[in-house]
Amino acid sequence: MSDLVLHVTGARPNFPKAAPVVKALARHGLAQKIVHTGQHYDDNMSAVFFRDLELPYPDINLGIGSGSHAVQTAKMMTALEETFEQERPALVMVYGDVNSTVAAALVAAKLGVRFAHVEAGLRSFDWTMPEEINRVVTDRLSDLLFATSVDAVAHLAREGVDPDRIHFVGNPMIDTLLAHRHRFDGSRVVQEFGLDGAYGVVTLHRPGNVDEPGVLAELVAAVRGVADQVPLVLPVHPRGRARLEESGLFEHPNVHATDPLGYLEFLGLVAGSALVVTDSGGIQEETTVLGVPCFTLRPNTERPVTITDGTNMLVTPASVGGAVAASLATERGTTWPVPPLWDGSAGERIARIVAAELAG
Ligand code: UD1
């Protein structure tokens, strides 16, 4: 058995979560390699994050690509099994709730490789979300569970996870935000679309929203209503692009569609915005720390701390227009609450625990 830590990543939201952990493990002198499953492969969905975050390029790229859930997860599992057998890691680390995460969890558990989940314990209790299935399965199989919020710790305890294995460490994605904040720059997009006053940022990519024509039609009407109030920038995720184009949304004069943006550009745009309308998970957390009002177009969230201790609000297609109008009419405060331990040191806390675990 080596003393190698193998990080398994693959999809866009993994990279800002892994970056501070990789950097902190390096400071502790631990041997590590990054595996990229290839779940996301376009430059603007993957490589740009490695450049923006100064994250070492993956040591191993499995090149799996897109597919149905079963096809994609099975291909990842087959390739990861071979990788784990070759590398014989002392610990596999995974991030978040994407298919790359659960694929690595299943393979590590069956090979008896120690396994750590960063961002454990989040629950939407919505089994129609593929991410909820990935979260529950991954946590059930993990030896070390790193939680970003107090509610996540409570969920894990209620599910019977041994408290010694649960570590409340804060939020590594927020480490990344705080470390790179001085480099955020949305000016190219602001200039391109002539946004000289208040503007909003919209992201929509969740299957439950963009894959269902009826739901999407309602959402498009709702976003049009928001665009009647304030210009919107909409970086378009590849999932749903065709349907959104067909819907005519981009023909609204106040809707500015653009390709997916890199980390520094996207967060620069968000940081300078009046508000965000989204169905993403991570953006609820980023807006909370930036103090930007966030309207989440979903019936539930696995990140309730962004509502209780942040700027997030759940909205429906029927309510988003009114919520945005109220927000635009209210002056934004100069201070705002931030959830406990979202302080820039989560990566270091994780590294200390991992180092002790490997030494033990
Ligand atoms: C995945 C995650 C989701 C996360 C999102 C962030 C799962 C189950 N879902 O969803 O939790 O919020 O990433 O982006 O893991 N595609 C490209 N280029 C790429 C990648 C994807 O064109 O580089 C297209 C393909 O048509 C693909 C589709 O996007 O079929 C969906 O990609 P996939 O990785 O399956 O899921 P996401 O919707 O991106």
Side-chain angles (χ1 to χ4, degrees), residues 8-247:
V8 178
T9 65
R12 182 168 70 175
N14 289 156
F15 311 128
K17 295 170 192 171
V21 180
V22 171
K23 286 175 189 172
L25 259 55
R27 286 196 298 274
H28 282 255
L30 298 177
Q32 53 183 337
K33 285 187 181 174
I34 300 176
V35 180
H36 191 310
T37 62
Q39 177 174 348
H40 287 172
Y41 40 86
D42 291 343
D43 185 89
N44 57 18
M45 297 291 287
S46 176
V48 66
F49 288 81
F50 287 80
R51 295 194 295 274
D52 279 0
L53 304 179
E54 293 154 340
L55 180 61
Y57 282 111
D59 301 278
I60 300 164
N61 198 326
L62 303 176
I64 300 300
S66 303
S68 70
H69 283 272
V71 167
Q72 187 181 57
T73 310
K75 281 189 184 166
M76 287 175 188
M77 287 179 67
T78 308
L80 285 169
E81 186 176 61
E82 212 172 290
T83 305
F84 294 176
E85 278 178 336
Q86 271 166 13
E87 299 291 336
R88 308 200 65 77
L91 183 74
V92 167
M93 298 195 72
V94 295
Y95 302 85
D97 54 17
V98 300
N99 283 351
S100 302
T101 309
V102 74
L106 285 161
V107 175
K110 295 207 172 180
L111 289 178
V113 176
R114 265 191 297 177
F115 183 74
H117 183 205
V118 175
E119 202 185 83
L122 297 187
R123 297 288 180 267
S124 66
F125 303 101
D126 178 353
W127 288 96
T128 66
M129 287 180 77
E131 293 85 356
E132 182 71 357
I133 300 167
N134 294 348
R135 286 189 280 263
V136 171
V137 172
T138 302
D139 286 340
R140 188 68 189 84
L141 299 174
S142 295
D143 300 300
L144 275 176
L145 299 98
F146 294 114
T148 54
S149 58
V150 176
D151 59 289
V153 174
H155 295 320
L156 294 170
R158 203 166 39 244
E159 290 170 15
V161 177
D162 176 355
D164 290 345
R165 294 181 9 223
I166 308 169
H167 301 275
F168 174 39
V169 290
N171 193 333
M173 200 179 69
I174 301 307
D175 290 15
T176 296
L177 184 152
L178 297 174
H180 294 275
R181 193 172 183 172
H182 63 288
R183 300 169 61 219
F184 290 176
D185 186 2
S187 60
R188 181 189 65 86
V189 182
V190 166
Q191 277 159 25
E192 181 180 334
F193 297 126
L195 303 167
D196 43 17
Y199 66 89
V201 177
V202 178
T203 78
L204 287 175
H205 77 283
R206 213 152 275 291
N209 280 342
V210 297
D211 290 358
E212 304 286 334
V215 177
L216 185 65
E218 261 191 282
L219 285 173
V220 164
V223 173
R224 285 175 154 280
V226 176
D228 290 340
Q229 304 179 51
V230 65
L232 298 176
V233 183
L234 204 165
V236 188
H237 188 283
R239 176 190 284 280
R241 171 183 278 275
R243 286 212 168 91
L244 281 168
E245 269 167 6
E246 278 162 28
S247 75

